[in-house]
Each structure stands twice: as C-alpha cells, then as structure tokens.
C-alpha cells in the first residue's frame, strides 16, 4: 500500500496527557504516504445497552471514523494497572450493538508512555486481551512501552531523543506492514 490513513485513539482525556504528546510524535514521524488522524473519545457518553436500538450521533461518528481508516493505534496510559475507564467506554461503543464490532479485522497497534520503566505494560496486556476478543489483528512486535522523561516529547510532537524517534519510526513501519498484509484480506472474512 503506498498511501494509508491510520487513526489513533488517545486513552486519556487529560489536557496535559503525555500519551497525547506521544500520539503527536507518531503523527510527526509518520512515513511518507501515511497520515495519522485522531479518533476522539472525550464526547462519548457512558455506554449502555439501552442505546443499542438508537445510537447517539457521536457514537455513530466514532464507529465510522474507525471504519474509515486503514488501521488504528491506541495510545494508552495505565490507570491502576489497567486501561483508563474512558478508553474502555470507547471500546464498548465500538463493539456494539452485538455483531457490529468496528474492530473486526481492523489492524490495530497499542503503545503507551509513562514515567516508570515498564511504562504501560499492564494496561497494554489488558488492552490486547480486549482486542483479541474483538478479532482485531494486533501488532505483536515491537512492543510499545515508552518510558517518558521530562522533555522527551514536545507539545507539537517533537521527540528530543534520536533513539526514541528511531524506535517510533520503526514501530510505525512495522504497523504499516501489518496494515498492508491485512489490506489483502477480503472484507467480511
């Protein structure tokens, strides 16, 4: 595939999120022919099965945004050794109503940053379990555990470490390869 659009979901709605900065870094480092676009989650109401018969427009738009991209990167912080509640809520909207899962066969990757040495490893393991249930082909390697240090990511996506920038570039290339492999899979399979 020469041109691709990758959506990204930031699992934090904090205005000072370092994971949002990581997402901006990925946007900035995207290889030629690849565009990254945010799929926002902050306006989604709490999911309830009561909505299945009449989805609110914001949820319809969210699911359509997933459908419109070639792959999705989920950039997640770790809250209490798992994913944030707002991210789980968004995933519930994506998977409903039953049988209309937006992530089915959608190439997906997970990455995250925190100040700890293991970054968001526990959250990412929970997230990968959910994505497996969704039948979303998920990037296995390289794993995206990024230890954030003060000043590593600028608000505009600048990465101050050549080593980290190189890793993120390789990560995006590996995900692009996964997307290309699945672009050959017939729809609905």
């Amino acid at each position: 595939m020469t041109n691709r659009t990758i959506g990204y979901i930031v699992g934090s709605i904090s205005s000072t999120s370092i994971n949002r900065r990581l997402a901006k870094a990925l946007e900035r480092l995207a290889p030629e022919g690849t565009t990254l676009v945010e799929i926002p989650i902050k306006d989604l109401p709490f999911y309830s099965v009561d909505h299945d018969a009449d989805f609110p427009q914001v949820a319809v738009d969210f699911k359509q945004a997933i459908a419109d991209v070639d792959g999705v990167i989920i950039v997640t912080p770790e809250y209490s050794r798992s994913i944030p509640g707002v991210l789980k809520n968004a995933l519930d909207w994506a998977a409903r109503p039953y049988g209309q899962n937006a992530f089915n066969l959608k190439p997906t990757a997970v990455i995250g940053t925190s100040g700890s040495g293991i970054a968001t490893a526990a959250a990412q393991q929970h997230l990968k379990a959910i994505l497996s249930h969704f039948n979303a082909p998920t990037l296995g390697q390289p794993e995206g555990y990024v230890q954030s240090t003060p000043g590593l990511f600028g608000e505009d996506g600048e990465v101050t470490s050549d080593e980290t920038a190189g890793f993120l570039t390789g990560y995006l290339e590996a995900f692009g390869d996964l997307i290309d492999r699945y672009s050959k899979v017939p729809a609905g399979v």
Side-chain angles (χ1 to χ4, degrees), residues 80-185:
S80 304
R81 294 284 187 233
S82 190
I83 62 173
V86 294
L87 178 55
K88 178 62 168 80
N89 183 59
L91 295 171
D92 289 340
W93 279 110
R96 296 307 231 154
Y98 182 78
Q100 297 177 32
N101 175 10
F103 279 98
N104 184 47
L105 293 178
K106 179 67 65 174
T108 308
V110 298
I111 193 168
T113 187
S114 77
S116 80
I118 61 168
T120 63
Q124 288 187 41
Q125 290 308 309
H126 287 180
L127 182 53
K128 287 178 180 179
I130 294 166
L131 293 170
S132 174
H133 174 70
F134 285 177
N135 198 35
T138 305
L139 181 66
Q141 294 295 325
E143 294 179 304
Y145 311 133
V146 180
Q147 183 177 9
S148 183
T149 55
L152 179 62
F153 302 113
E155 287 189 37
D156 64 349
E158 180 185 2
V159 182
T160 60
S161 162
D162 290 341
E163 182 179 350
T164 301
F167 169 77
L168 295 175
T169 299
Y171 181 89
L172 288 167
E173 289 170 356
F175 186 46
D177 290 344
L178 179 72
I179 290 170
D180 291 348
R181 284 194 306 275
Y182 276 85
S183 70
K184 297 171 180 69
V185 176

Side-chain angles (χ1 to χ4, degrees), residues 39-71:
I39 300 174
I41 64 172
K42 72 176 183 154
D43 293 330
L44 290 167
F46 288 121
Y47 171 75
S48 168
V49 70
D50 296 340
H51 295 295
D52 281 0
D54 186 23
F55 254 42
Q57 190 61 47
V58 67
V60 171
D61 294 345
F62 174 69
K63 289 184 70 153
Q64 187 61 51
I66 294 169
D68 289 345
V69 295
D70 299 305

